Amino acid sequence: QVQLVESGGGSVQSGGSLRLSCAVSGATSSMYCVGWFRQAPGKEHELVSAVSSDGSTSYADSVRGRFTISKDDAKNTLYLQMNSLKPEDTAMYYCTFASCGPGSPIPKSLFNYWGQGTQVTVSS
């Protein structure tokens, strides 16, 4: 059973930075994709960024150039570095996992494991 545990959320002012972490455990194969979704009140669930098994990355247009996804395979940890944060980035951020191969973009429907979420709040 895959388990995902997020950390690193919090409150910052507009223009600030945060780094989210996600500890991944229980994966039985190296062929998997991980990423970050977010959901704000009244808005749709959005795939913010993802990284596939070959290291290919993808980003939502709303965060491209400001957010950077990375993973440390030795530590089984996924990161999301968020810079130049805006109030519209305020949301609950969820780490997510899918059994999948190389390449991107990764279909959102493949992601079938979720963490508990970590709140990010950006004030103006």
Side-chain angles (χ1 to χ4, degrees), residues 63-114:
V63 306
R64 187 174 290 111
R66 300 187 297 122
F67 290 12
T68 303
I69 193 169
S70 62
K71 61 176 180 171
D72 185 331
D73 290 332
K75 295 182 179 180
N76 292 325
T77 302
L78 175 70
Y79 302 99
L80 185 67
Q81 178 67 43
M82 305 185 294
N83 297 328
S84 302
L85 283 161
K86 304 176 181 180
E88 51 263 45
D89 294 318
T90 295
M92 186 70 81
Y93 284 70
Y94 298 91
C95 180
T96 187
F97 174 104
S99 296
C100 68
S104 65
I106 304 160
K108 293 189 290 184
S109 59
L110 287 181
F111 291 101
N112 57 351
Y113 288 96
W114 306 85

Side-chain angles (χ1 to χ4, degrees), residues 11-16 85-88 90 121-124:
S11 297
V12 294
Q13 291 190 327
S14 182
L85 283 161
K86 304 176 181 180
E88 51 263 45
T90 295
T121 302
V122 185
S123 58
S124 58

Side-chain angles (χ1 to χ4, degrees), residues 18-74:
L18 284 173
R19 188 177 80 157
L20 305 184
S21 300
C22 174
V24 181
S25 61
T28 58
S29 167
S30 61
M31 296 292 284
Y32 66 84
C33 302
V34 282
W36 296 92
F37 275 83
R38 68 184 180 186
Q39 187 156 28
K43 294 188 178 180
E44 291 188 1
H45 211 199
E46 178 184 23
L47 178 59
V48 174
S49 183
V51 53
S52 67
S53 58
D54 67 351
S56 301
T57 58
S58 59
Y59 295 92
D61 289 342
S62 58
V63 306
R64 187 174 290 111
R66 300 187 297 122
F67 290 12
T68 303
I69 193 169
S70 62
K71 61 176 180 171
D72 185 331
D73 290 332

